């Protein structure tokens, strides 16, 4: 890697989309951001914003058949701004990979063996890993000489002790089929827990944090001294908190009951729990802003959905307070966590005995900056910390290839 190679392209390849950001690691600045969506459909859309030149957002709609065509279109957009993939300033491409199992505990330079292992994990991440693999292979074809780095959603959670990661089922069956709790949103939990420590003026190893990543997908983690010791998502992202369309925690026997009584097959139950449950299943909306609007208009179904959502949040805050023993901060992040003041207030109301409280005025402030919203007298700090998964991926990628 040459001395002036300080740029990292971050790719997040979904089943029908590619999100991307080009960052300069000299200062962490974003040079370009964009999204290709509806890949493979009749009309796809590419939106690209060249931040380095201060140019306007560009959008175009046309059919983009596959991920290879999508990445070539991204490369063309970057080239138009003088930021092409052939630039000697590009140090590496960092890929978000959802599932790394137990093998990948840190960012990893991708080779054939790594790709084979990611493919072996497809059965436990059938919606995500195949798309991640496609993005990697396409990027390799475009720049075969450039280091490609996988940053895994699960890696941050591999520090969980066995007593937190194991399910209480037959050990041989669990091991044979890789059944255990892996956790997800790891890059967000890593970034937010570290930024929370900085906000408190302490080193990460001196701080215990409960991180609440609340978006359409939602997860909680207990982070002791910079290491995850428990997290709410499990074998898949279905377990844990109430989410936009996912049920979160549920009695496993519900699955057998639906099969016997409702005659539903595995695919139908899977769709129910992952796409038709959570907030959308409870009240028909998965947008917290719309739910709050309905509550203000007296909609009881929306109010009940909100109460169920908050009840689950409080259970995890209480549980992780017990797991950690000492809690220095609770940090809210992601779309709902960063923007929904009523969620933050409701989540800690009644938890004063745990040292939690929010200041109403501080909580009402809208800002894209990390900040404390707890009163000075509170024993436990409550923070709002905007997540930055792309910067975390870029940092991990650049640190690896620089060394």
């Amino acid at each position: 890697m040459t001395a002036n190679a300080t740029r990292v392209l971050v790719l997040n390849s979904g089943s029908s989309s590619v999100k991307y950001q080009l960052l300069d690691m000299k200062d962490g600045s974003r040079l370009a951001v964009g999204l290709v969506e509806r890949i493979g459909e009749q009309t796809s859309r590419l939106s690209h914003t060249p931040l380095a030149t201060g140019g306007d957002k560009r959008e175009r709609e046309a059919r983009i058949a596959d991920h290879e065509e999508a990445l070539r279109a991204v490369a063309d957009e970057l080239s138009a701004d003088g930021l092409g993939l052939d630039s000697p300033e590009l140090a590496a491409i960092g890929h978000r990979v959802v599932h790394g199992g137990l093998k990948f505990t840190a960012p990893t330079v991708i080779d054939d063996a790594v790709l084979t292992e990611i493919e072996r994990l497809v059965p436990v991440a059938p919606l995500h890993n195949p798309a991640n693999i496609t993005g990697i292979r396409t990027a390799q074809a475009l720049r075969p000489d450039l280091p490609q780095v996988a940053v895994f959603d699960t890696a941050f959670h591999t520090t969980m002790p066995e007593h937190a990661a194991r399910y209480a089922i037959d050990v041989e069956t669990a091991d044979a089929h890789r059944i255990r709790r892996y956790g997800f949103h790891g890059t967000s939990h890593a970034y937010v827990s570290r930024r929370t420590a900085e906000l408190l003026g302490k080193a990460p190893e001196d701080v215990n944090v409960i991180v609440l990543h609340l978006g359409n997908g939602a997860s909680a983690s207990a982070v002791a001294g910079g290491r995850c010791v428990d997290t709410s998502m499990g074998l898949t992202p279905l377990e844990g908190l109430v989410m936009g369309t996912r049920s979160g925690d549920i009695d496993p026997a519900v699955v057998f009951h639906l099969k016997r009584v409702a005659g539903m097959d595995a695919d139908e139950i899977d769709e129910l729990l992952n796409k038709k449950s959570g907030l959308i299943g409870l009240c028909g909306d998965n947008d917290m802003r719309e739910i709050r609007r309905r509550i203000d208009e007296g909609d009881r179904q929306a109010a009940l959905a909100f109460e169920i959502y908050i009840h689950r949040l409080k259970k995890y805050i209480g549980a992780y307070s017990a797991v950690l023993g000492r809690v220095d901060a609770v940090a809210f992040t992601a779309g709902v966590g960063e923007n929904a003041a009523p969620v933050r207030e409701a989540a800690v109301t009644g938890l004063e005995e745990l040292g939690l409280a929010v200041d109403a005025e501080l909580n009402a402030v809208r800002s894209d900056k990390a900040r404390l919203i707890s009163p000075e007298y509170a024993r436990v700090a409550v923070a709002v910390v905007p997540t930055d998964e792309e910067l975390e991926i870029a940092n991990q990628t650049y640190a690896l290839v620089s060394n």
Side-chain angles (χ1 to χ4, degrees):
M1 190 175 79
T2 60
N4 66 337
T6 59
R7 295 175 181 172
V8 173
L9 177 63
V10 175
L11 294 177
N12 181 355
S13 300
S15 58
S16 61
S17 67
V18 174
K19 298 178 185 177
Y20 64 94
Q21 292 194 11
L22 181 66
L23 299 96
D24 193 328
M25 304 317 295
K26 290 197 298 285
D27 55 9
S29 61
R30 285 167 173 77
L31 305 177
V33 301
L35 168 67
V36 187
E37 53 190 333
R38 300 200 297 265
I39 296 171
E41 297 184 19
Q42 194 61 40
T43 303
S44 309
R45 178 166 56 190
L46 188 154
S47 58
H48 173 87
T49 304
L51 301 174
T53 60
D56 293 331
K57 182 178 182 179
R58 303 194 295 264
E59 292 189 351
R60 59 186 175 96
E61 292 192 353
R63 176 171 166 74
I64 296 176
D66 52 31
H67 283 71
E68 180 176 356
E69 187 177 337
L71 281 180
R72 291 189 183 281
V74 170
D76 289 343
E77 292 293 337
L78 291 170
S79 293
D81 301 313
L83 304 169
L85 297 189
D86 57 350
S87 169
E89 294 181 73
L90 188 60
I93 298 177
H95 298 266
R96 179 197 180 212
V97 179
V98 168
H99 215 308
L102 293 180
K103 186 176 181 65
F104 299 112
T105 62
T108 304
V109 175
I110 300 166
D111 57 20
D112 289 344
V114 170
L115 264 178
T116 297
E117 185 62 23
I118 295 172
E119 288 175 335
R120 287 185 62 213
L121 289 162
V122 166
V124 290
L127 297 179
H128 300 94
N129 274 29
N132 301 154
I133 292 166
T134 300
I136 291 168
R137 291 194 187 282
T138 303
Q140 286 178 325
L142 289 172
R143 278 298 305 268
D145 59 311
L146 199 67
Q148 312 270 336
V149 176
V151 178
F152 299 91
D153 269 15
T154 51
F156 183 65
H157 303 303
T158 57
T159 56
M160 280 192 294
E162 283 292 282
H163 62 255
R166 284 274 184 183
Y167 290 112
I169 65 172
D170 173 66
V171 172
E172 290 186 6
T173 302
D175 288 349
H177 301 286
R178 303 187 180 198
I179 299 171
R180 62 185 290 121
R181 300 181 62 250
Y182 293 100
F184 299 89
H185 296 145
T187 50
S188 176
H189 287 278
Y191 177 84
V192 171
S193 59
R194 190 173 62 252
R195 284 288 291 119
T196 302
E198 292 173 3
L199 197 60
L200 298 180
K202 298 180 179 180
E205 56 267 25
D206 296 328
V207 176
N208 289 356
V209 186
I210 298 172
V211 178
L212 301 172
H213 177 109
L214 308 179
N216 193 50
S219 59
S221 67
V223 182
R227 293 167 60 87
C228 177
V229 295
D230 206 348
T231 192
S232 58
M233 286 178 167
L235 173 71
T236 75
L238 180 59
E239 186 180 359
L241 302 175
V242 175
M243 304 177 221
T245 66
R246 299 178 194 140
S247 65
D249 293 339
I250 195 169
D251 182 347
V254 169
V255 174
F256 315 135
H257 181 77
L258 290 172
K259 177 175 173 56
R260 295 184 189 117
V261 175
M264 297 175 70
D265 62 25
D267 289 341
E268 290 173 320
I269 297 171
D270 187 295
E271 184 175 8
L272 171 70
L273 297 181
N274 278 289
K275 298 180 179 179
K276 298 180 179 179
S277 296
L279 292 172
I280 205 163
L282 289 168
C283 69
D285 272 309
N286 63 332
D287 187 319
M288 187 58 72
R289 294 165 296 187
E290 181 64 15
I291 290 170
R292 290 301 309 177
R293 184 194 65 77
R294 287 171 56 185
I295 291 171
D296 291 341
E297 293 179 353
D299 188 319
R300 184 56 199 156
Q301 198 63 36
L304 178 59
F306 185 79
E307 290 164 5
I308 294 169
Y309 183 93
I310 295 299
H311 179 72
R312 189 78 56 83
L313 264 181
K314 286 187 175 183
K315 284 176 67 174
Y316 271 91
I317 293 171
Y320 286 171
S321 296
V323 167
L324 290 169
R326 186 197 84 242
V327 179
D328 299 300
V330 173
F332 289 87
T333 193
V336 175
E338 294 169 26
N339 298 299
V343 169
R344 299 191 295 260
E345 180 182 7
V348 302
T349 297
L351 302 183
E352 290 81 9
E353 290 298 316
L354 296 180
L356 290 162
V358 297
D359 179 288
E361 290 187 9
L362 294 175
N363 189 38
V365 172
R366 295 185 67 88
S367 172
D368 59 359
K369 305 294 184 183
R371 60 202 186 276
L372 296 178
I373 60 170
S374 47
E376 291 187 7
Y377 65 78
R379 190 171 76 249
V380 177
V382 179
V384 181
V385 180
T387 192
D388 198 333
E389 294 175 88
E390 290 77 16
L391 179 59
E392 182 70 14
I393 291 170
N395 279 330
Q396 292 190 28
T397 298
Y398 190 67
L400 180 61
V401 299
S402 297
N403 291 330

